[in-house]
Amino acid sequence: MEKFGCPRKFITIVCQFHDGMTAKVIDNGEPSNAFPVTNGVKQSCFLAPTLFSMTFSAMLSDAFKDCEPGINIRYRSDGKLFNLRRLKAITKVKETVIRDFLFADDCALNVNGEDEMQMQMDRLSSFGLTISTKKTEVMFQPAPGNQYHKPQIQVNGQTVQAAQTFTYLGSALSNCVTIDAELNNRTDVLAQHERQIKHFHMRCLRKLLRIRWEDKVPDTEVLKRAGIPSIITKIRKAQVRWAGHVTRMSDDRIPKKVLLWRTR
């Protein structure tokens, strides 16, 4: 990891945590003899997430450092988020390439064609990581007017399963290149969750204010007596704050680039 910029002192400290590590296995209440642990990290080690993120990011950077394939996006970041006329202007438009999206220990690769995807997978699998084909899926979205064909992507000689839909961070993508699945997924779940959250919130307020159901006090009056807005209003404000947080990010951050993505 030193070649990726990690200080030697940091590497030494991490090695001291894991050098000479041994483990035992308990079988029917009896511990086994101690055996050396030559790979991995300690169970529940607080360094594990940080070490994984550093190693995985460094591995991706090295794998794709001289790689051109990816999804080209165009965006403009000098306008305000809700000033659509300014954001759609053809001047001061920037371009970048998005190749991967990371979340915890998941990685979603993005390319424009089947050949490029196979090349990306070959580069990623060349680092010695075990890629489970049972947990890995590939989805092909044809351009409007083009015919769909099932992609044939292989990892270590095994064909990756082709998916019709793909969910990433709550967003539902479909191979038919429509937003129907996304709209159905978000409206159904959001409406259901909003009803549950609103019901729980009002029930708590009624108990705190000692309002019985026999009193027949409407929800609007309960909120007025509590002096607070509805929980749905708070959720909406939090979503707007999140959008503001993204727009205040530096221009090199991927969330901001995607939020300000121009379709043309």
Side-chain angles (χ1 to χ4, degrees), residues 119-147:
M119 184 184 68
Q120 297 280 54
M121 293 300 298
D122 292 341
R123 283 173 173 262
L124 189 62
S125 60
S126 65
F127 278 79
L129 293 179
T130 301
I131 301 177
S132 175
T133 54
K134 294 182 180 180
K135 298 180 180 179
T136 304
E137 295 179 337
V138 59
M139 187 179 71
F140 170 64
Q141 292 181 310
N146 292 355
Q147 187 177 3

Side-chain angles (χ1 to χ4, degrees), residues 35-134:
F35 56 89
V37 178
T38 58
N39 55 19
V41 295
K42 294 182 179 179
Q43 187 74 16
S44 302
C45 177
F46 68 94
L47 286 176
T50 302
L51 292 175
F52 176 83
S53 298
M54 293 175 60
T55 303
F56 200 51
S57 297
M59 181 193 70
L60 290 174
S61 298
D62 192 56
F64 304 138
K65 62 182 179 181
D66 57 349
C67 183
E68 296 182 358
I71 301 296
N72 296 304
I73 67 172
R74 304 172 73 245
Y75 65 99
R76 177 174 177 172
S77 59
D78 62 328
K80 294 184 179 298
L81 180 60
F82 299 106
N83 189 349
L84 299 182
R85 293 185 60 185
R86 184 176 179 86
L87 289 177
K88 291 181 179 180
I90 62 176
T91 59
K92 298 182 180 180
V93 176
K94 302 177 182 178
E95 296 185 3
T96 188
V97 178
I98 304 297
R99 297 187 179 91
D100 55 80
F101 293 104
L102 304 180
F103 179 71
D105 58 347
D106 293 330
C107 177
L109 299 179
N110 309 275
V111 292
N112 287 316
E114 187 172 347
D115 294 339
E116 294 180 359
M117 176 58 71
Q118 185 61 63
M119 184 184 68
Q120 297 280 54
M121 293 300 298
D122 292 341
R123 283 173 173 262
L124 189 62
S125 60
S126 65
F127 278 79
L129 293 179
T130 301
I131 301 177
S132 175
T133 54
K134 294 182 180 180

Side-chain angles (χ1 to χ4, degrees), residues 3-261:
K3 69 175 181 177
F4 298 113
C6 294
R8 180 181 297 274
K9 184 176 181 180
F10 174 78
I11 298 176
T12 303
I13 295 175
V14 173
C15 290
Q16 289 177 351
F17 272 104
H18 298 86
D19 286 345
M21 184 169 55
T22 60
K24 294 182 179 181
V25 177
I26 298 179
D27 182 18
N28 197 22
E30 296 293 331
S32 66
N33 296 328
F35 56 89
V37 178
T38 58
N39 55 19
V41 295
K42 294 182 179 179
Q43 187 74 16
S44 302
C45 177
F46 68 94
L47 286 176
T50 302
L51 292 175
F52 176 83
S53 298
M54 293 175 60
T55 303
F56 200 51
S57 297
M59 181 193 70
L60 290 174
S61 298
D62 192 56
F64 304 138
K65 62 182 179 181
D66 57 349
C67 183
E68 296 182 358
I71 301 296
N72 296 304
I73 67 172
R74 304 172 73 245
Y75 65 99
R76 177 174 177 172
S77 59
D78 62 328
K80 294 184 179 298
L81 180 60
F82 299 106
N83 189 349
L84 299 182
R85 293 185 60 185
R86 184 176 179 86
L87 289 177
K88 291 181 179 180
I90 62 176
T91 59
K92 298 182 180 180
V93 176
K94 302 177 182 178
E95 296 185 3
T96 188
V97 178
I98 304 297
R99 297 187 179 91
D100 55 80
F101 293 104
L102 304 180
F103 179 71
D105 58 347
D106 293 330
C107 177
L109 299 179
N110 309 275
V111 292
N112 287 316
E114 187 172 347
D115 294 339
E116 294 180 359
M117 176 58 71
Q118 185 61 63
M119 184 184 68
Q120 297 280 54
M121 293 300 298
D122 292 341
R123 283 173 173 262
L124 189 62
S125 60
S126 65
F127 278 79
L129 293 179
T130 301
I131 301 177
S132 175
T133 54
K134 294 182 180 180
K135 298 180 180 179
T136 304
E137 295 179 337
V138 59
M139 187 179 71
F140 170 64
Q141 292 181 310
N146 292 355
Q147 187 177 3
Y148 172 84
H149 70 272
K150 185 177 180 180
Q152 300 292 327
I153 305 299
Q154 293 190 347
V155 178
N156 298 326
Q158 296 182 337
T159 302
V160 179
Q161 180 181 358
Q164 295 182 349
T165 58
F166 176 73
T167 302
Y168 186 74
L169 299 184
S171 296
L173 306 177
S174 172
N175 61 357
C176 59
V177 203
T178 64
I179 61 173
D180 294 345
E182 172 70 1
L183 288 177
N184 294 334
N185 179 61
R186 289 205 176 262
T187 54
D188 292 345
V189 174
L190 184 60
Q192 178 184 0
H193 287 177
E194 282 189 351
R195 288 193 298 268
Q196 294 176 348
I197 293 173
K198 181 180 178 181
H199 177 72
F200 176 75
H201 184 233
M202 296 306 303
R203 186 176 61 184
C204 293
L205 289 180
R206 290 178 182 274
K207 286 185 177 180
L208 292 173
L209 297 175
R210 297 183 180 180
I211 299 176
R212 300 173 301 175
W213 68 270
E214 296 94 339
D215 299 331
K216 297 182 180 180
V217 179
D219 292 346
T220 54
E221 179 62 23
V222 174
L223 294 173
K224 184 177 180 180
R225 294 183 186 182
I228 59 175
S230 68
I231 190 65
I232 305 303
T233 301
K234 290 187 175 182
I235 293 176
R236 296 288 185 268
K237 289 183 177 179
Q239 291 173 336
V240 175
R241 285 197 302 269
W242 175 84
H245 173 69
V246 175
T247 57
R248 288 189 295 270
M249 290 181 177
S250 59
D251 292 348
D252 61 337
R253 297 287 300 276
I254 291 180
K256 185 173 183 178
K257 295 178 181 179
V258 175
L259 180 65
L260 302 177
W261 190 344

